[in-house]
Amino acid sequence: MIRFSPSPVSRMPETTARGRTAGSATVLVMTLAGLILLVTSGDQVWSRQRVPPPEPSRKAWVSFEAETQMVRALELYRRFAAQPQPPPLPGKTTLRAGDMGQPVADLRARLALTGDLSERGRGDSYSFDQDVEDAVKRFQARNGVEPTGIVYGITQRLLNVPLQTRVRQLELNLQRMRDLLPKIASEPKYILMNAASFELQGIRNGVVEVTSRTIAGKRATPTPVVSAKVQALNTLPYWHVPGTIAKAALIPTIRKDPGYLYKERIRVFSSFGGEEVDPASINWWGPEANRYVFRQDPGPQNALGVLRFDMPNKHIVYMHDTPMKKLFQYHERAVSAGCVRLQNFWSVADWVLDGQDGLSGAALQQRVEAGQQSTVKLNRPVPVHFIYLTAWVDNGVVQFRNDLYNRDASAFDSGEDVAARPSGLTIAP
């Protein structure tokens, strides 16, 4: 039986003030570092520490066991969808511990229907008590959003997703699993990168041996579903700026900040393999600006970071390090131009190398520290699959994720496009 009681979510720090009226206005202010949220309601103000995203699961997303669990989850959600549905929560609603009223009763009914609110916690139907707060955190955690215990914004919209939509989502993702299973059945060692959950698993003989948070493509430049093989590792790589990124982002940035190329150590060339051109000699406002090609020097400022995973494919996407490491502290990490950035890139590199020629992730790190560019070709290329799972079962808990790329034909909009957040360096693959 599928259960709906994930590992207990740590409770948020106590607030210094609490509103009592359901639906009161709330304003969220985020610091540049993304660490503190300041919440205000009327004259009341309190702050809380952001909850970091969880580490990726050590349970393989795709396996014959996972397929069986998905079938059971689908049966369960079909039963949920056949029951009378609570009314949707009104738009721009904010609910939190201490609130009272009909919106809280509707919230309770919705959480009880999907099992997030246990039988034990079904007390005063109009009170947002500790049991409801814990249930909201459980719901948020299994939907991939920060478990604050507060209902507003994306949490409110996710709660309002019709259960029949969830049934369809489970059906689509069950088929995605079944399409992938024959590919990985013959592969003893492979990588899965789920663009919908922003996570990676390195799997050997069905066991997850290495994981990493990832950053995937934004809505406008989605990470494709692709199967390829990691054939080499590049330390201190150059970044050859794709023409699409140069035209859409780099050239407009140069027009605003003529010193940008110098600061980011980006060189201009007449063509691929052509002569270097002095940026000061170019009319960046004229059509001829689009004729040039750009290459960023190696180093920690490089958009690829200090390590690139070479995996040739028709989409020209790959995995790499990144200088924008603070972005891994967000739950939704859809900010790239389609390539995939890894948080634990040294660990993944070590796992990929698997001791080849006495090399390890630590040995590659030493090369980087010594300023040594190198390419290590793998004797045994490692299969890698970029997948798109917006629903699966993890240790008995049904997980859903935002259909960021609208591949599920979702009928709801999750709201914020995280690619619009300020991130310092905005030009990257």
Side-chain angles (χ1 to χ4, degrees):
M1 175 61 68
I2 305 298
R3 63 183 175 86
F4 290 87
S5 54
S7 304
V9 180
S10 58
R11 293 182 178 176
M12 309 300 298
E14 288 299 314
T15 58
T16 58
R18 289 190 184 273
R20 307 297 296 184
T21 305
S24 57
T26 300
V27 178
L28 301 179
V29 180
M30 189 181 304
T31 67
L32 184 61
L35 298 178
I36 300 294
L37 288 178
L38 187 67
V39 185
T40 67
S41 181
D43 295 329
Q44 299 172 338
V45 180
W46 66 89
S47 64
R48 62 172 182 80
Q49 194 77 15
R50 284 185 63 90
V51 180
E55 292 302 316
S57 174
R58 288 279 175 168
K59 195 78 171 180
W61 297 309
V62 181
S63 65
F64 290 108
E65 178 187 356
E67 179 192 17
T68 299
Q69 290 187 328
M70 279 287 281
V71 170
R72 293 174 181 170
L74 180 55
E75 293 171 351
L76 188 63
Y77 265 76
R78 282 173 175 160
R79 292 201 297 272
F80 290 162
Q83 298 180 36
Q85 305 296 299
L89 298 175
K92 299 183 180 180
T93 293
T94 298
L95 300 173
R96 61 183 181 274
D99 286 344
M100 305 283 291
Q102 185 60 46
V104 176
D106 295 338
L107 171 64
R108 277 180 166 272
R110 189 161 291 275
L111 292 170
L113 178 60
T114 54
D116 294 286
L117 181 63
S118 65
E119 291 284 350
R120 181 186 62 81
R122 299 176 191 179
D124 183 350
S125 62
Y126 292 92
S127 173
F128 196 130
D129 55 20
Q130 187 63 60
D131 289 321
V132 175
E133 183 176 32
D134 290 343
V136 170
K137 289 180 181 179
R138 278 191 286 272
F139 176 86
Q140 291 170 320
R142 69 185 189 88
N143 278 270
V145 298
E146 184 183 0
T148 63
I150 304 171
V151 176
Y152 64 90
I154 188 172
T155 298
Q156 179 259 337
R157 290 188 286 274
L158 289 170
L159 283 162
N160 282 344
V161 175
L163 291 181
Q164 192 57 50
T165 299
R166 294 305 193 194
V167 169
R168 180 59 180 153
Q169 194 173 2
L170 287 164
E171 290 172 342
L172 288 169
N173 284 277
L174 176 58
Q175 187 58 50
R176 287 171 183 153
M177 284 188 181
R178 287 172 170 168
D179 291 342
L180 183 61
L181 276 169
K183 293 182 181 180
I184 63 176
S186 60
E187 298 172 344
K189 178 178 178 179
Y190 56 90
I191 291 171
L192 296 182
M193 195 294 300
N194 186 8
S197 68
F198 315 103
E199 296 170 320
L200 174 148
Q201 294 179 334
I203 300 169
R204 192 198 314 255
N205 298 323
V207 178
V208 177
E209 295 185 334
V210 67
T211 64
S212 179
R213 296 176 191 166
T214 68
I215 292 169
K218 52 185 177 285
R219 293 180 181 182
T221 54
T223 295
V225 172
V226 63
S227 292
K229 290 185 177 181
V230 177
Q231 296 189 358
L233 302 175
N234 312 121
T235 62
L236 293 174
Y238 286 104
W239 180 41
H240 297 272
V241 182
T244 52
I245 295 179
K247 184 176 181 179
L250 182 55
I251 293 174
T253 299
I254 297 169
R255 290 168 179 166
K256 295 177 183 178
D257 180 6
Y260 183 81
L261 293 175
Y262 175 77
K263 288 184 291 187
E264 296 298 330
R265 297 176 59 191
I266 298 175
R267 300 177 186 270
V268 186
F269 295 87
S270 59
S271 62
F272 286 104
E275 295 182 353
E276 186 171 356
V277 179
D278 182 359
S281 68
I282 299 171
N283 176 14
W284 294 108
W285 295 91
E288 64 271 22
N290 294 319
R291 296 201 305 260
Y292 297 96
V293 297
F294 303 86
R295 189 188 73 187
Q296 189 175 32
D297 289 344
Q301 87 297 333
N302 188 284
L304 306 185
V306 298
L307 188 70
R308 176 181 180 268
F309 295 75
D310 185 15
M311 43 175 284
N313 59 88
K314 67 178 182 179
H315 298 283
I316 319 179
V317 291
Y318 43 85
M319 302 182 294
H320 60 91
D321 174 30
T322 174
M324 295 182 279
K325 293 178 171 54
K326 70 178 183 180
L327 296 178
F328 291 111
Q329 297 306 309
Y330 291 104
H331 282 69
E332 186 168 301
R333 300 182 290 275
V335 295
S336 85
C339 288
V340 174
R341 310 172 196 174
L342 306 187
Q343 182 180 41
N344 301 334
F345 61 97
W346 290 127
S347 297
V348 176
D350 186 76
W351 184 80
V352 166
L353 285 167
D354 205 14
Q356 173 184 315
D357 301 326
L359 289 173
S360 64
L364 295 186
Q365 191 170 2
Q366 290 175 357
R367 291 185 180 185
V368 168
E369 291 170 353
Q372 180 183 352
Q373 283 186 284
S374 66
T375 294
V376 178
K377 294 184 178 180
L378 299 180
N379 295 334
R380 296 180 180 177
V382 178
V384 56
H385 305 279
F386 287 1
I387 64 176
Y388 189 73
L389 282 184
T390 60
W392 69 94
V393 181
D394 182 24
N395 290 313
V397 180
V398 180
Q399 302 280 330
F400 293 107
R401 292 299 182 268
N402 179 16
D403 179 19
L404 184 73
Y405 304 148
N406 201 32
R407 293 173 183 167
D408 296 345
S410 295
F412 78 101
D413 182 0
S414 67
E416 180 192 19
D417 182 356
V418 299
R421 294 177 182 144
S423 61
L425 180 62
T426 57
I427 302 172

